[in-house]
Each structure stands twice: as structure tokens, then as C-alpha cells.
Amino acid sequence: MSVTPAQPWYRYACRWGQTNLTEVDPGRYDLAWWRAYWRRTRVQGVIVNAGGIVAYYPSAYPLQHRAHALGERDLYGEIVAAARAEGLAVLARMDSNRADERCYIEHPDWFALDGAGRPYREGELFVACVNSPYYDEFIPAILREIVERSRPDGVTDNSWSGLDRSRICHCRYCARRFRAVSGLALPRDHDWDSDAYRQWIVWNYARRVEIWDRNNRTTRDAGGPDCLWIGMNAGDVAGQAGRFRDYQAICERAEIIMLDSQARSNARGFQANGEAGRLIHGLLGWDKLIPESTAMYQAGQPTFRVASKPEPEVRMWALDGFAGGISPWWHHIGAYHEDRRQYRTAEAIFRWHEAHEEYLLQRVPVATVGVVWSQRCVDFYGRDAAEERLSLPQRGITNALLRARIPYVFVHADHVERDSAGLAMLILPNLGALGDAQCEAVRRFVEGGGGLLASGETSRYDEWGDLRADFALADLFGVHATDTHHGASGPTEKSWAPWSNHTYLRLSPELRAGVDGPHTGDEPVVAGKRHAALEGFAETDILPFGGRLEVVQADPAAIVPLTYVPPFPIYPPETAWMRHPSSNLPALAFRDGADAGRVAYLAADLDRCYGRDNLPDHATLLANLVRWAARDRIPLRVDGPGLLDCHLYRQSGRLVLHLVNLTSAGTWRAPIDELVPVGPLRVRVELPDDVSGQSARLLVAATTAETDGRDGWAALTVPSITDHEVIVVS
Ligand SMILES: [Zn+2]
């Protein structure tokens, strides 16, 4: 993109730095050293601790606890002045969620109370209630003071959204406001079937949006129209839901998202960062910036706040973020470190980002597969088991797409109409709760020729999580619900025997024309040939399953290529034989109309199984189903060894393809401390009209590659990838 200084800060400042001050830092912050570090790491903005839990300037408000030994010094102001002298953007950092005992003693009514009237505490601190004057009066006054005295470009806030969903505040403000809105008393417990609890959830979300708007009015009023209050947000929807942060509403308001998602988990892998970029850009737009706090210390499991994280672990997290359109923001806890290795980590990553910025921002994803999601579904269907009901199925799908190197985008369930124009198919991974309008949009997509892969309980519940008589999309699936299931989705469902998940799927020996070679799915049905979507399983008649099967009644016209094999013992070995080698229970059903799109409905939760168990058969079958439903309309093909996260974009006159080498990470746990190269890789991309495909640059290898163009595709070879490669085809 062409960066001009005339743009507001949130349009150009993509690389950030944050020295997160601790209370003792006024005595040891070395301003000259940090200025040199800002220059060395090529940051365009810094985040400076201002106030909230601890103040780093002499606030006129005595209830803002000052850092130890701060006295009348304005450390925050000194850092801001230095940053301005360096030409950097500045965000003042707040944490408005908690305060100390003095504040509690003077204003007990500002703080959240449990059902017995005791204050909720976090360690030594007290948790402020979002409905109290603390948020309505005290925080706005602090924001105004900070903006007026130091003129930052904006304000971030670490844990701005107050008490999380696991705790109900019973203070008088909450009681009064909730009754005014709902006519009801506050819920006493977390009963998702009670009207009071449901209204409480919706009301809590609305209050956070009010706080977002209110804080923005305050900072803009005090600091001008570009002085934004931008909180901080999480990289995963379950995390946002747990804190009542409505990602859709926030992205409708935000000019930039400051993402606090600092490290991978072993369950989610580096690819979670590229996924977060896809998901948030899908809401926010691909023209806006998403800087992400990346820990230079050992964050995750276990956490060591002042020990250095291995450089390859930081690097791979950041690079997968780049692939998803996320930009870097280094984060150190404390201003002085005895483990100085962490000061070496950011420089190379940030300099690479600066040198190639024009290819990393302002681009549009190229994908024909859309993975549908909904935060409301996470709440009202996921309830207290969102990981099992929604995160695992989604993770299974996205990891199967990753493994198959199929590019995809995330599509919010409210945006199916808006965002599905270029898509060949949609995936609904166990989206249990969908509203009527959301289902109608999916139906129109399929009627218009779009493919669909849906699994499990998708559309079985309405937007409140109330059970419907049948799947709302039963007509598309070609099956009907029966209110029974076999197996379990995970720990929240009790198994009746230790081997109750020792189940299998049987591949039907039927269907499709008796011609040799791969089948298009368009031939007449003939016994003896398997369906095209079962390619790759010629030498087996069964697949391991071990998950939950929705028992469904298939329509006569539905094709059933997989059926369920009920459980049988595992131990002792003598007993491990199939009591019932087959059943007529469908595990998979196809609808393949001539006019409408192809639909695959998975009654067996292979998406969740793959997310949980990592069996390659499940991933292979899921990828087959995607290709079948998309009628093979996939714009990218990458052949060669390794686990690669592929993100494809277009800019004017060129394609940009990220290949992130997750091979090492995919086979062992965090943190990694060595990178193992893979290659050569043969890459083929479909060319848009304005891309000739005659030249290709490899930005990381700093070389060009020969291209071979035919039939609207360009092919090239990437000799080797250590951490990542970014290929620009023009
Ligand atoms: Zn309250």
C-alpha cells in the first residue's frame, strides 16, 4: 500500500512495540536504550502504560494507585515525548478492570459482588462492576485526563470488559439496570434454559458495546476524531464469548483491532494465528490493520514472564500471523531484563515485515471454500461446552483444509449472502444453533449452485439454543432428525462402557458408474463402484470412528456412502470382534441435484474427531468431501512433503501466496527451538484475469522462479522452505 503521512495513525501504523511496565520500572526504565530498540525493530507505534490499575503519571485522582517510587514523576509522559521525537504513534495503555483496596474502601459500590454480597477479587485487587459509576464516571474522567495532558493517538485497555461470563454480579446497579431492561430479577445461576439467564447474556453483550461507544466518545471529544479508544480483543471466538465481547459489533465500530493473542497452545498450533487473521479480517475488512501482541517472554504453558521465548517459536507464530494479514507487535513484560536474549528476537522479524509490507497488507483473499461461524452459536448452543461442541469441529475442519492445502475464508452466519459470491462451497461444522434467516441464506446459496458440507447437529437448534422438531436444513441435507444419537462428543457426555467409542464406519460398496478411473459423480448409479468422495480408501472397507453419530432418517433420494458400525469390546483381545459388522444407520449422506449445489451431511462427527484425535483418515475424508462439494473448484495446488499453511491473496495485477512451514511444529509440542526445511514443492495457482503468471518472485529466498503457464494456471517450483515463503506471481 502507499503510505502517506496524511493518513490517520490507524491506517499506516502496523508495527508496534510495548514495554509493559511493572511497578518497579520508574526506577530502572532506560529511555535511551528503549529508543534505540524502537529504531532497531522498525516499529511505527508504541503502547505506553498510562493508568488504570497502576498509574505512571501524577494523576489528579488520588484513587488511581501510583507505581512504587513514581512520586511526582511522569514516566508515562517522558516515554510519550520520546516516542513523539522518534515520529512514532502512541497508544496510552489502560487496565480498567480492577482497583486496589483503598479504592474499594472508599467506593465499595463500584465493585462486583457475588450472590452472598462479597466482592469478587483477583489476587490483591477488586474487580470493578461494568454497571457502576467506576465505568460511567471514574474511567471516563481518567481517560479525559490522560488524553488532555499527553495527546496520545488513542487508548488501549487490557481487560476492559469487566467480569467474565463465569461470574454473575449481584450489585445494586446490575439489579436495577437488568430489571429496567428485562423486567426480571438477576439470574441466580447459569441456567441456559431460563429466560432470565438468556436475557442476562444478551444484556451483558449490549453493555460492553455501550462501554466501547462511550469510551470512544470520551477520547474523541478530548483528543479529536482520530483519538480512538480500542480496548483489546482475543484471537478466538470462545475467548471473546467468555468475556461478552461481541466481535461482530466491535468490528463494525473499529478502525483497527489490537489483538491480544500472544502464543500458540499445543491443541491449536501456529495455524491458529493465521486463522484468527482470516476470521477477524472477515468481519473487519481486509483493508484495516490487525497488530498483534506477541510475547518475547515464555508465554503459554508454562509461563515465565521474564525468561526469553525460543526465537523460532516467536518467529513461527508471527509468520503464520503475517500469512493471515496480522502485523507484528513486540511485547516485553518489565523494562529491564537479566535474560537479554529476548532483545534479539524481534529485529529480524520486524525488518522483514517492513521490507515486504506492500505485499502483506491491503489484499483480498482468494478462496472458494467458506467456513461458517457464529458467536451466538458459541453462546447459546456451545453453552458451557463450547470447546467440545464448536471449537473442536471447527478445528478439525480447518486442520483438514490446512493438511490438504485448500485455501478458505471464514464467513459469519449473518454474512452468508454478503460474502459467498465467489465461493464454491460452504462448511457448517456442527453449527447447532442457527436462526431462520441464517438458514434461509444457506438454502439460497445451495439453490444457486453452491456446495455444502454440514455436520452433526447443524441447524437442529434455533438462535436461543432451543431444539427444533427437525434440522432446519433437513431438506438440504436429505435426512431427518430422530432425537437419538450413538457415542459421545466428549467428556460432557458420559459413556456407558469403556469401549463405547470403539466404533467404525463402513464404506458402502455401491454407487456410480462402472467405468475405470476417477468418477465425477455425474454418472448413473451402478453397484460395485465407490463414490468419488471415497477416493483413497480402495484397500479398506472400514474406517475408525470413535465419535458421536446423529441417528438420522435418510430421504429415499439420498445417497449413503458410509454407515455406522456399532461398538464392540477392545479388551481383552479375544473379544475384539464386530458383533454387528454393519447397520443401516447413515454416517454420511449426499444430495446431488442437477440444478442445486452438492450437499454432504456428516451424521458422524468426523470434524470433531479429527480436531480431537488427529487420525489422517478423517482428514482425508473431510478434504475429499470439500473437493466433491466444491466440484473441484480449488484455486491452488501444492505438491511436496510437509505440513504447510497456505494463504492466497490477490492485489492489483498479482497474486501473493504464503506457504508457512509447520512441519516441525505439527509433529511436536511448544515451544520449538529448531526449524527443519521442506522442499522442493510444486505450486500451481489459478490466475485471475489481470495476472499473466509470467513471473514469480520468492520474497524470503530473495530470488525468482521460472513459471510455466497454461489453461489459466501458473506452475512453479519452490526449492526449499525453512520457516516460510511468500510467492508473488505477476
Ligand atoms: Zn454489578
Side-chain angles (χ1 to χ4, degrees):
M1 78 177 173
S2 61
V3 175
T4 63
Q7 290 178 299
W9 64 274
Y10 48 80
R11 289 278 175 265
Y12 72 85
C14 57
R15 287 176 301 281
W16 289 80
Q18 180 184 12
T19 311
N20 209 340
L21 302 179
T22 65
E23 284 213 63
V24 298
D25 283 329
R28 60 183 195 178
Y29 188 91
D30 184 341
L31 193 54
W33 190 93
W34 284 104
R35 279 179 81 155
Y37 189 65
W38 298 340
R39 276 184 225 153
R40 198 150 61 78
T41 56
R42 314 303 299 162
V43 295
Q44 296 159 295
V46 289
I47 297 151
V48 188
N49 297 62
I53 295 174
V54 177
Y56 292 87
Y57 69 98
S59 173
Y61 296 91
L63 288 179
Q64 255 208 123
H65 169 88
R66 288 189 197 178
H68 290 313
L70 184 74
E72 290 303 311
R73 186 178 169 195
D74 183 0
L75 175 60
Y76 158 75
E78 291 166 29
I79 299 171
V80 171
R84 292 309 196 189
E86 294 289 330
L88 302 180
V90 171
L91 287 169
R93 179 192 181 273
M94 291 280 293
D95 193 320
S96 60
N97 181 229
R98 289 154 217 178
D100 66 7
E101 191 165 23
R102 174 178 174 187
C103 198
Y104 172 70
I105 288 168
E106 292 193 25
H107 293 279
D109 65 311
W110 287 1
F111 294 89
L113 302 178
D114 67 16
R118 293 169 305 218
Y120 285 112
R121 301 184 64 159
E122 299 277 5
E124 299 167 342
L125 302 174
F126 294 77
V127 182
C129 173
V130 293
N131 285 302
S132 76
Y134 181 85
Y135 273 83
D136 282 330
E137 294 161 22
F138 184 67
I139 288 297
I142 298 294
L143 289 174
R144 184 170 285 281
E145 180 184 61
I146 290 169
V147 172
E148 285 177 350
R149 64 178 287 141
S150 64
R151 299 281 156 195
D153 291 296
V155 179
T156 65
D157 194 317
N158 185 44
S159 46
W160 58 278
S161 48
L163 212 57
D164 61 60
R165 194 177 79 188
S166 68
R167 294 174 291 183
I168 297 171
C169 178
H170 293 273
C171 82
R172 64 176 193 256
Y173 302 111
C174 283
R176 192 189 306 151
R177 286 188 181 182
F178 183 64
R179 187 175 289 283
V181 167
S182 68
L184 299 168
L186 287 165
R188 298 300 298 180
D189 46 31
H190 301 268
D191 175 6
W192 287 94
D193 290 323
S194 87
D195 192 37
Y197 189 65
R198 291 174 176 188
Q199 295 298 333
W200 181 79
I201 295 282
V202 172
W203 171 74
N204 267 292
Y205 270 113
R207 176 58 183 160
R208 272 62 175 187
V209 173
E210 268 176 31
I211 289 170
W212 187 283
D213 289 343
R214 137 79 63 97
N215 286 346
N216 269 286
R217 280 198 302 277
T218 302
T219 54
R220 285 172 153 163
D221 185 44
D226 290 330
C227 186
L228 309 179
W229 181 94
I230 50 180
M232 282 199 200
N233 285 288
D236 68 307
V237 175
Q240 292 286 88
R243 298 182 183 89
F244 297 118
R245 298 173 183 174
D246 180 339
Y247 237 149
Q248 195 178 359
I250 287 169
C251 286
E252 282 167 6
R253 290 162 163 73
E255 296 292 346
I256 185 171
I257 289 289
M258 300 304 281
L259 192 60
D260 184 4
S261 180
Q262 301 197 38
R264 68 163 164 159
S265 66
N266 286 321
R268 297 182 66 215
F270 292 123
Q271 59 267 41
N273 213 17
E275 276 176 36
R278 280 174 161 136
L279 187 138
I280 301 165
H281 275 302
L283 290 177
L284 184 69
W286 287 87
D287 55 337
K288 293 181 181 168
L289 300 175
I290 308 176
E292 176 185 67
S293 175
T294 300
M296 300 292 124
Y297 58 91
Q298 176 54 42
Q301 287 290 335
T303 292
F304 295 97
R305 288 291 211 187
V306 294
S308 301
K309 184 188 284 189
E311 192 271 353
E313 181 73 20
V314 179
R315 164 179 295 268
M316 294 309 297
W317 181 249
L319 296 183
D320 207 82
F322 293 179
I326 284 172
S327 55
W329 152 14
W330 51 251
H331 182 205
H332 296 277
I333 302 280
Y336 175 80
H337 295 97
E338 293 170 295
D339 185 344
R340 295 171 297 280
R341 295 172 295 179
Q342 62 192 284
Y343 299 142
R344 295 270 169 226
T345 303
E347 187 173 342
I349 298 166
F350 279 59
R351 282 179 178 266
W352 190 89
H353 189 275
E354 181 189 42
H356 302 97
E357 189 183 310
E358 65 177 302
Y359 303 105
L360 303 176
L361 305 169
Q362 304 298 326
R363 50 196 195 172
V364 177
V366 178
T368 53
V369 173
V371 178
V372 182
W373 68 282
S374 149
Q375 189 165 339
R376 186 164 182 123
C377 186
V378 170
D379 285 318
F380 288 104
Y381 171 67
R383 301 190 171 193
D384 300 318
E387 167 75 10
E388 188 175 301
R389 290 184 193 151
L390 289 153
S391 301
L392 278 178
Q394 181 183 297
R395 195 176 307 151
I397 283 291
T398 56
N399 280 334
L401 293 169
L402 168 90
R403 184 174 173 273
R405 300 156 178 179
I406 296 173
Y408 65 93
V409 289
F410 282 107
V411 177
H412 191 282
D414 285 344
H415 298 159
V416 166
E417 196 97 51
R418 187 192 81 179
D419 291 348
S420 62
L423 298 181
M425 67 146 336
L426 293 173
I427 304 174
L428 276 52
N430 200 40
L431 284 190
L434 287 171
D436 291 343
Q438 292 171 336
C439 291
E440 198 44 49
V442 172
R443 186 173 285 109
R444 279 195 301 273
F445 176 77
V446 174
E447 284 168 355
L452 184 70
L453 167 59
S455 64
E457 295 195 285
T458 294
S459 82
R460 194 63 221 283
Y461 300 81
D462 68 14
E463 66 271 33
W464 291 104
D466 285 329
L467 192 68
R468 290 186 170 108
D470 196 356
F471 299 105
L473 296 174
D475 56 325
L476 296 190
F477 298 167
V479 303
H480 299 279
T482 65
D483 290 330
T484 52
H485 69 270
H486 293 298
S489 57
T492 65
E493 287 186 60
K494 280 212 175 81
S495 298
W496 59 277
W499 40 268
S500 66
N501 279 357
H502 186 221
T503 57
Y504 292 77
L505 302 177
R506 182 163 297 284
L507 286 70
S508 309
E510 53 165 334
L511 304 174
R512 301 302 164 191
V515 293
D516 291 320
H519 303 293
T520 64
D522 293 332
E523 305 95 332
V525 174
V526 173
K529 281 285 177 185
R530 282 196 184 143
H531 195 276
L534 301 183
E535 215 176 291
F537 300 114
E539 290 192 62
T540 181
D541 297 328
I542 55 165
L543 296 176
F545 175 40
R548 173 180 158 127
L549 179 93
E550 301 308 314
V551 177
V552 296
Q553 196 87 49
D555 286 338
I559 300 163
V560 178
L562 277 179
T563 52
Y564 176 69
V565 177
F568 56 93
I570 293 175
Y571 303 112
E574 291 87 339
T575 66
W577 54 277
M578 282 182 190
R579 305 298 191 275
H580 303 283
S582 65
S583 77
N584 60 1
L585 299 179
L588 172 64
F590 287 143
R591 236 181 103 262
D592 194 1
D595 302 326
R598 290 174 173 173
V599 179
Y601 167 74
L602 268 170
D605 62 347
L606 294 183
D607 44 3
R608 182 190 286 119
C609 288
Y610 187 56
R612 182 185 60 214
D613 302 333
N614 205 35
L615 292 184
D617 280 350
H618 295 163
T620 300
L621 185 55
L622 290 169
N624 283 358
L625 296 178
V626 169
R627 288 204 185 88
W628 175 77
R631 297 182 194 272
D632 278 324
R633 273 187 53 207
I634 310 291
L636 174 70
R637 207 186 144 124
V638 180
D639 293 305
L643 183 68
L644 300 169
D645 195 3
C646 307
H647 291 246
L648 181 63
Y649 299 93
R650 56 184 297 184
Q651 292 177 316
S652 179
R654 64 194 183 206
L655 290 169
V656 180
L657 172 64
H658 290 250
L659 301 177
V660 187
N661 178 13
L662 302 184
T663 307
S664 309
T667 50
W668 198 238
R669 302 181 304 164
I672 52 165
D673 62 355
E674 184 185 19
L675 301 176
V676 179
V678 297
L681 295 155
R682 188 69 177 159
V683 174
R684 269 162 278 206
V685 283
E686 192 175 17
L687 299 168
D689 289 341
D690 66 339
V691 181
S692 70
Q694 283 173 350
S695 82
R697 284 179 60 201
L698 309 184
L699 298 183
V700 177
T703 181
T704 57
E706 296 262 318
T707 60
D708 174 13
R710 68 185 65 168
D711 303 330
W713 288 66
L716 60 111
T717 299
V718 179
S720 177
I721 300 179
T722 302
D723 49 4
H724 73 145
E725 187 53 87
V726 180
I727 303 154
V728 180
V729 179
S730 53

